[in-house]
Amino acid sequence: MSFSQNEINREENSLFWEYVFLLDIGQSLVDFYSKLRFYSPTKYFTQKEVIELKSLIENEHLRIENLVSNNGYETKNSGGIKVSAKPSVNLNSSCSVNESETITKIRSKYYEIIPRLKELTFNLLKKSKQSLSLYYDDMDQFEESISYDYFQSLMKNMIYSADRLNSDLWEFNSSKICLVLRKDIVDSLQHQANNLNKLVTDSGIEISWFDNVRSEPSEHPLMQMVLHKIKKVMINSVKRI
């Protein structure tokens, strides 16, 4: 999805990320159910919902990336002739002819299908009895094609949206969305959001790939991440009891 050509309204950033997450969750579920054997009871009783979800996702992909291409020709001379559908030749001008492609993106009202998309994904996730974990990495590449201010807004709302959705996903066998962000990006966002620091502290793990000075293996960031996961599982197990 290209952010460089058409920016999503900042007021919709959080809603947009929920839409993106749900599409990815939905696709993972469609893939899961498609691999079940045809005589599986789970596949049989969820068939209608899976077909609807698959169709919805395919339609959304077409709507997001609706590309219309056509061939044309570009003519140039010292006077600057405009682009035309056919080559235009003037005896008094030097003319070059190049094939060009026109790409048109159609704006999608993605928010209209979020309620049904969420209902289908949650229903099928519950019936699958699977624990789903989605990881999002390399978000810093967006910084190269959009303004830094908009990039910060996009990342901030991505974190908020993932956190809200994780609150619901956790009920389905501890399913979750994980975001991998550079520390300098997270630090830069702290100035824009008052409660972001608490969110990152409570739910995040800082990993240093070059940290070799720990006296105990349990102090290494990677081990801290494992211990953090164990702690979360134990807390939620106690709550259910």
Side-chain angles (χ1 to χ4, degrees):
M1 192 164 299
S2 176
F3 293 97
S4 59
Q5 296 188 22
N6 291 303
E7 290 188 355
I8 303 297
N9 292 336
R10 300 194 184 203
E11 295 78 12
E12 300 175 9
N13 275 350
S14 184
L15 191 64
F16 170 75
W17 279 118
E18 181 180 357
Y19 166 77
V20 171
F21 295 146
L22 289 173
L23 284 180
D24 286 343
I25 294 171
Q27 186 60 61
S28 297
L29 290 170
V30 168
D31 294 341
F32 166 76
Y33 281 100
S34 66
K35 293 177 182 178
L36 295 178
R37 297 186 182 276
F38 70 93
Y39 53 77
S40 168
T42 302
K43 187 168 188 173
Y44 176 80
F45 289 109
T46 59
Q47 187 175 16
K48 289 184 178 179
E49 287 181 302
V50 173
I51 291 175
E52 182 184 352
L53 178 59
K54 182 179 180 181
S55 176
L56 191 155
I57 292 173
E58 288 176 349
N59 288 336
E60 287 309 300
H61 287 166
L62 288 174
R63 186 156 63 161
I64 295 169
E65 297 294 335
N66 194 344
L67 301 181
V68 180
S69 300
N70 67 292
N71 292 326
Y73 293 89
E74 179 183 5
T75 60
K76 298 178 182 178
N77 72 352
S78 57
I81 297 177
K82 296 181 180 179
V83 175
S84 60
K86 298 180 180 180
S88 175
V89 179
N90 187 317
L91 294 177
N92 297 321
S93 67
S94 60
C95 175
S96 64
V97 180
N98 297 314
E99 187 176 16
S100 64
E101 184 180 66
T102 301
I103 299 177
T104 304
K105 285 187 177 291
I106 297 177
R107 185 176 178 81
S108 169
K109 295 182 179 180
Y110 56 89
Y111 48 81
E112 294 178 350
I113 59 94
I114 288 180
R116 183 55 179 164
L117 178 61
K118 189 172 185 178
E119 182 182 7
L120 284 171
T121 53
F122 279 22
N123 285 345
L124 289 172
L125 183 55
K126 181 178 181 180
K127 293 174 182 177
S128 72
K129 298 180 181 179
Q130 299 296 304
S131 178
L132 182 65
S133 296
L134 294 179
Y135 287 80
Y136 292 82
D137 197 0
D138 293 331
M139 272 80 71
D140 54 299
Q141 65 181 315
F142 294 139
E143 189 177 356
E144 301 174 1
S145 56
I146 60 179
S147 67
Y148 185 66
D149 184 51
Y150 182 66
F151 170 74
Q152 286 187 311
S153 174
L154 205 62
M155 293 300 98
K156 178 182 64 177
N157 283 285
M158 186 183 195
I159 296 173
Y160 285 149
S161 182
D163 181 59
R164 284 195 301 271
L165 203 55
N166 277 339
S167 298
D168 296 326
L169 288 174
W170 191 257
E171 299 298 322
F172 304 102
N173 296 314
S174 303
S175 295
K176 59 187 174 297
I177 295 168
C178 303
L179 309 179
V180 183
L181 294 168
R182 294 199 324 256
K183 186 177 184 299
D184 62 299
I185 294 177
V186 177
D187 290 342
S188 69
L189 297 177
Q190 303 288 2
H191 304 290
Q192 293 193 10
N194 296 329
N195 59 340
L196 186 61
N197 186 48
K198 183 179 185 303
L199 194 159
V200 173
T201 301
D202 293 345
S203 306
I205 296 294
E206 183 178 340
I207 300 176
S208 175
W209 301 107
F210 305 101
D211 193 342
N212 297 315
V213 296
R214 305 287 175 175
S215 58
E216 297 293 334
S218 61
E219 295 179 358
H220 194 279
L222 290 175
M223 183 56 68
Q224 288 293 315
M225 182 171 63
V226 175
L227 295 175
H228 180 79
K229 171 66 176 177
I230 295 174
K231 179 182 176 181
K232 285 283 187 180
V233 172
M234 291 179 64
I235 291 176
N236 282 275
S237 297
V238 172
K239 288 181 179 179
R240 290 171 184 172
I241 295 175

